[in-house]
Amino acid sequence: MLHLRLITPTEQTEDAVRLIKGTVGTTHLCVLSGAARDPVGDVVLCDVAREAADDLLSGLQRLGLDTTGSIAVENVDLSLSERADRAEEEAPGEGADAVLWEHLTEATHEESTLSVTYLSFLTLATMIAACGVVLDNAVLIVGAMAVGPEFGPLAGVSTATVQRRPRLAMRSLIALLVGFAVAMALTVAFSLFMDAVGLFTEEQLKGERPQTGFVYAPDWFSFVVAVLAGAAGTLSLTSAKSGALVGVAISVTTVPAAANAAVALSYGDTVQTWGSTEQLLLNLLGITLAGTLTLLAQKQLWRKQHARLRRRTAA
C-alpha cells in the first residue's frame, strides 16, 4: 500500500475526494478541513494500492494539485486493516508489476544529477577497479562494481526515452559522459602516481591476468550480460526491489573497463585502451537498450491489463 497526503485548495477538495472515491483500490480517506497553512487549504489523506496509484496520481495532476497544492506519496511498510486488504484485492493487477511513472522519473532524476558526490563515487570506484586490474584481483573488481553509481544515469536515459522527456535524457547523458571522463582522467593521474611510487608496473598490466583479462576483451557474452543486467536493474527500480540493484551492479563491467582503459592509457598501451573502451561502450549500450525495452514492455502490458478491466467493468 501507498499513503497519499494532499494539500488541496478548498475549492478543489471535493474534486479530489470524488476522484479518490472513484478510484478502485483506495481506502482510509480522511479530510482535514482548513488544516493546511502553507499553502492554505485542506489536507486530504488516503491509502491506495500500488497497482492503482499511477492512475490516481495522474488524475490528481490533471486537477492541477501539483501546482496549486501538494501531492506526497509514502510507502506503507505495515498496514493491519481488512479495508486495506480488500482495496488491494479489488485493484487491478499485482502491486509488484505496477510502475509509478512519476516516482520512477523523480528517482532517476535524482540519481542522474552531475554532483560532487556522484563524481566522487564514480572516481573512487574506478580507482579501486584500477588496483583490481593491475593486481588481477577479482575481489577488488567486484567491490568497484558495487560502488559505482552509473546505473542511475543509464536508467535515466531509458526512462526519459520512454516518457519522452528530453531534458531528463540530456541530464542523464551529461552525468554519464562527464562522469566517466572525469573519473578516467583522475584515474590516469592516480595510475601515474602509483607507478611513480612503485605500486603499479607495466609488467603487471601486460602480464597474464586470468581474473580480470575480460575487461579489455569484449565479446557477445559481454553484450548479453549487459542486456540481462539492464532488464533486471530496471525491474528492480520499477518494483521497488532496490536490493536487486546490488546484483546488477556486480554483473556489468562498466567501471572495471573504464579503469583498465585509464591504466592502459597511462602506459601508452593502445590495444588495451581501445579494447576496454569497446567493452565500456558495449555495456552502456546493452544496459540502456534493455532498460528502454523493459519499460516499454511494462507500459504496454499494464495498458492492456487496464483496458481489460475497463471492458469488464463496463459489461
Side-chain angles (χ1 to χ4, degrees):
M1 294 292 287
L2 299 175
H3 180 67
L4 267 63
R5 185 183 72 251
L6 313 176
I7 295 179
T8 63
T10 304
E11 64 274 13
Q12 290 184 285
T13 300
E14 283 306 314
D15 292 334
V17 170
R18 193 179 302 110
L19 177 62
I20 293 170
K21 286 183 175 180
T23 300
V24 177
T26 59
T27 187
H28 303 152
L29 175 62
C30 301
V31 179
L32 307 177
S33 300
R37 294 292 180 266
D38 183 21
V40 175
D42 304 327
V43 174
V44 180
L45 308 172
C46 74
D47 291 340
V48 58
R50 180 182 174 85
E51 53 269 39
D54 193 62
D55 285 345
L56 178 56
L57 291 174
S58 297
L60 293 171
Q61 287 179 297
R62 285 194 294 271
L63 291 177
L65 293 185
D66 54 333
T67 302
T68 60
S70 169
I71 304 172
V73 184
E74 300 172 349
N75 278 309
V76 178
D77 294 326
L78 177 63
S79 179
L80 302 178
S81 167
E82 290 186 3
R83 286 180 176 273
D85 295 340
R86 191 159 55 248
E88 288 186 318
E89 290 174 2
E90 293 173 351
E94 294 293 332
D97 297 333
V99 180
L100 299 180
W101 290 102
E102 287 300 325
H103 177 269
L104 180 62
T105 302
E106 183 67 22
T108 52
H109 180 276
E110 292 178 2
E111 293 294 327
S112 60
T113 300
L114 186 63
S115 63
V116 173
T117 300
Y118 169 80
L119 287 174
S120 299
F121 270 115
L122 189 56
T123 299
L124 291 171
T126 308
M127 289 180 177
I128 293 171
C131 296
V133 297
V134 171
L135 297 175
D136 194 35
N137 188 316
V139 174
L140 291 176
I141 292 295
V142 171
M145 289 174 173
V147 172
E150 73 279 8
F151 189 79
L154 289 168
V157 173
S158 298
T159 302
T161 302
V162 174
Q163 292 291 84
R164 298 179 182 179
R165 300 198 178 191
R167 293 184 65 180
L168 176 59
M170 185 58 63
R171 176 191 290 268
S172 301
L173 284 172
I174 289 174
L176 199 64
L177 298 178
V178 174
F180 270 112
V182 170
M184 291 173 70
L186 292 175
T187 302
V188 168
F190 172 73
S191 299
L192 293 172
F193 169 77
M194 295 291 278
D195 180 75
V197 298
L199 295 176
F200 281 7
T201 64
E202 189 172 2
E203 289 72 24
Q204 287 176 302
L205 180 71
K206 294 187 175 181
E208 290 293 324
R209 288 162 48 195
Q211 299 294 321
T212 60
F214 68 93
V215 299
Y216 62 88
D219 55 23
W220 279 108
F221 277 108
S222 301
F223 184 74
V224 169
V225 171
V227 168
L228 296 175
T234 303
L235 285 173
S236 72
L237 285 177
T238 58
S239 64
K241 296 185 181 297
S242 57
L245 279 177
V246 177
V248 172
I250 62 176
S251 300
V252 291
T253 54
T254 49
V255 167
N260 198 85
V263 176
L265 184 62
S266 71
Y267 286 115
D269 187 337
T270 56
V271 174
Q272 285 202 37
T273 299
W274 179 244
S276 301
T277 303
E278 282 186 321
Q279 180 76 276
L280 173 62
L281 295 176
L282 196 63
N283 275 268
L284 295 179
L285 175 63
I287 294 171
T288 305
L289 179 63
T292 302
L293 293 177
T294 300
L295 288 175
L296 286 172
Q298 287 181 291
K299 192 172 187 177
Q300 188 64 25
L301 288 172
W302 197 251
R303 184 178 296 166
K304 288 182 178 179
Q305 193 170 44
H306 275 255
R308 286 197 300 269
L309 176 67
R310 285 193 292 270
R311 286 195 299 269
R312 194 161 60 243
T313 303

